[in-house]
Amino acid sequence: GRERPVALVLALAGGWVITEWLRAKMFTGFAWNPVGVTLADTPWLNVSTFLGTYGLSMLVVLAGGALWLLALRSWKSGLITAALIGLTLALPRPIVPEECCLRTFDAVEYPPGARPPRPPGPSLTSIRVVQPNIGQQDKWRPGFSDEAARRLTELSLRPGKENGRPRLLLWPEAAVTDPLQDDRPGQPAAFAQFERQRAAAAIGPHEFLLTGGLALFSGYGRTVDGAANSVFILGQGGKLVARYDKAHLVPYGEYLPMRPILSAIGLSRLAPGDIDFVAGPGPRTFALPGWGEVGFQICYEIIFSGEVVDRSNRPDYIFNPSNDAWFGAWGPPQHLAQARLRAAEEGLPVVRSTPTGISAIIDARGRVLHSLPWRTAGVIDGGLPMKAVETSLFARFGNAVPLGLALLLIAAAIALNARARYRRDI
């Protein structure tokens, strides 16, 4: 009967949502490129505020199903499905204060020059995203840390439109490859302090540097027992204000699963180093005087829908330092698209800093206000976008929304299929 093609479309759409959600959960999860990402550059991006990314995937599958129904000449069912998809565009967009949209964002390489004096007092609107264009082939090369520090500091100190105002500097993931914190006393701890001071040379009073770096742990103070892929909040003079440790680690990249067995047969991590990273506690929110409350998601943590903020203490924006140099030219645009979806879902701006691009400032509707292209050294100076006025439906309930809709679709498919069988039997 006619109900069976419709039932198949509904079951496929609901099952697809559940499958993508499971893919993000099982075996530590790998949520890269759900099909909903294909709508990131369409008006349906705003629908993620209500349905989330998996809800967008459901719409994509339903759209394909509508075309299939029309091809089967099931005109009524196909047109109704297409109309329902179109009606989702009528959902209201998140309300964002206009201040976030009126500022000009410039992504340029400024000419070298001395840093101008800055008056005291923090400024909410003065941030600088740094992209040093350091490739993976150089990043961990012995002796390159001095050159990396020089590039990062030079870009950080170049004068821009926000001259004379305190700034919030944002550097990429693992921008500093030598440890910025080391639990071992003596020379290791002193060297980590030196690295913090060298990194913080680019900031003055009332300023902060948010930089990716490494923390080394030592239970007995002699040997290194573990490490963390972290974001360090540094104040003037390299003062350690706070640290966020990456929670969603990459197997084989940041740790070796079943290390005693796999290392015995000669396997190792894909990234340099033999020390496994230790997972952090998960999303956290940190207060920065003058720059509101910031949440962190390091690298591919940002791809996990519904898992990017502390829901009991929501931040004003998310900083997403990343190292997309691993992925050539194809990975950065995909990673950026998924960061845009997190911004739209949560109603929060996302600021990305990467070593080779694409660095960007994304507003609370998921729009890229400005970006630095791949393989370009430079900075983005500008204002910090404001978060949405109201907490979105997805931000309140997370993936319970698309999963609930998926179960409803599957239930409807079962009912239609049962109805078709009943008609056939009579």
Side-chain angles (χ1 to χ4, degrees):
R2 293 183 179 180
E3 292 90 350
R4 292 206 172 186
V6 176
L8 179 59
V9 170
L10 296 179
L12 180 61
W16 195 284
V17 169
I18 294 172
T19 300
E20 284 195 340
W21 178 77
L22 288 174
R23 178 160 67 92
K25 295 291 185 182
M26 297 176 65
F27 307 111
T28 77
F30 188 68
W32 193 268
N33 275 357
V35 297
V37 174
T38 59
L39 300 179
D41 285 316
T42 74
W44 275 275
L45 173 63
N46 287 311
V47 178
S48 63
T49 302
F50 300 90
L51 305 183
T53 296
Y54 301 133
L56 294 187
S57 295
M58 179 182 66
L59 294 182
V60 172
V61 176
L62 286 174
L67 294 175
W68 180 62
L69 290 172
L70 293 174
L72 293 177
R73 299 182 182 275
S74 183
W75 305 113
K76 182 178 179 181
S77 299
L79 290 174
I80 289 175
T81 304
L84 290 175
I85 295 170
L87 283 175
T88 60
L89 289 176
L91 292 171
R93 295 188 301 172
I95 300 173
V96 179
E98 286 301 319
E99 297 93 293
C100 76
C101 307
L102 297 177
R103 302 192 58 82
T104 300
F105 293 78
D106 292 320
V108 299
E109 281 200 72
Y110 297 103
R115 183 173 68 177
R118 297 181 178 86
S123 167
L124 179 65
T125 61
S126 198
I127 68 172
R128 170 170 286 189
V129 180
V130 177
Q131 181 172 295
N133 193 26
I134 297 174
Q136 198 63 24
Q137 71 279 4
D138 293 322
K139 189 177 187 69
W140 300 99
R141 180 157 52 87
F144 189 77
S145 60
D146 291 340
E147 170 62 17
R150 184 193 66 79
R151 291 189 196 182
L152 288 161
T153 302
E154 179 184 293
L155 287 168
S156 300
L157 292 177
R158 288 183 180 182
K161 286 195 172 183
E162 302 295 334
N163 288 353
R165 304 176 70 174
R167 302 170 306 163
L168 179 65
L169 283 177
L170 302 113
W171 287 5
E173 177 189 16
V176 182
T177 54
D178 290 318
L180 287 173
Q181 188 170 353
D182 196 326
D183 285 350
R184 295 172 295 174
Q187 186 175 356
F191 183 68
Q193 183 179 6
F194 164 77
E195 287 295 331
R196 292 197 300 271
Q197 291 172 341
R198 179 163 72 167
I203 60 175
H206 310 287
E207 297 182 344
F208 295 100
L209 167 65
L210 309 184
T211 179
L214 304 177
L216 300 183
F217 307 133
S218 178
Y220 297 98
R222 295 182 180 179
T223 59
V224 176
D225 302 325
N229 184 0
S230 306
V231 178
F232 291 81
I233 303 177
L234 300 180
Q236 186 180 26
K239 177 185 177 182
L240 179 58
V241 178
R243 190 188 82 220
Y244 166 80
D245 297 337
K246 185 178 182 182
H248 211 128
L249 301 176
V250 182
Y252 300 100
E254 292 169 315
Y255 71 97
L256 184 65
M258 301 179 293
R259 175 170 284 277
I261 298 174
L262 296 184
S263 61
I265 61 176
L267 295 182
S268 62
R269 283 172 39 195
L270 299 176
D274 295 324
I275 301 171
D276 284 337
F277 285 88
V278 178
R284 296 179 63 196
T285 299
F286 298 87
L288 291 179
W291 284 276
E293 296 188 328
V294 56
F296 296 99
Q297 290 290 288
I298 299 177
C299 197
Y300 99 137
E301 284 187 311
I302 200 71
I303 73 173
F304 292 92
S305 174
E307 301 179 26
V308 297
V309 298
D310 179 357
R311 297 197 178 279
S312 64
N313 185 20
R314 288 175 54 81
D316 297 314
Y317 58 100
I318 299 171
F319 177 42
N320 174 221
S322 185
N323 180 12
D324 292 354
W326 284 96
F327 307 115
W330 58 267
Q334 296 177 16
H335 210 169
L336 175 64
Q338 292 174 96
R340 292 176 61 195
L341 285 168
R342 297 298 86 73
E345 285 175 343
E346 300 291 346
L348 297 175
V350 174
V351 183
R352 302 194 78 233
S353 178
T354 71
T356 56
I358 303 169
S359 299
I361 297 177
I362 305 166
D363 76 359
R365 290 178 182 162
R367 300 174 298 183
V368 177
L369 300 182
H370 221 300
S371 63
L372 279 169
W374 186 60
R375 288 296 186 188
T376 300
V379 300
I380 302 174
D381 280 339
L384 186 63
M386 304 291 286
K387 65 181 179 181
V389 172
E390 297 180 353
T391 305
S392 69
L393 179 69
F394 182 87
R396 288 193 183 100
F397 301 105
N399 283 312
V401 177
L403 289 174
L405 288 174
L407 293 176
L408 286 175
L409 290 181
I410 293 172
I414 293 172
L416 287 174
N417 194 48
R419 179 184 176 185
R421 287 184 177 180
Y422 173 77
R423 286 185 172 182
R424 184 191 62 188
D425 292 339
I426 61 173

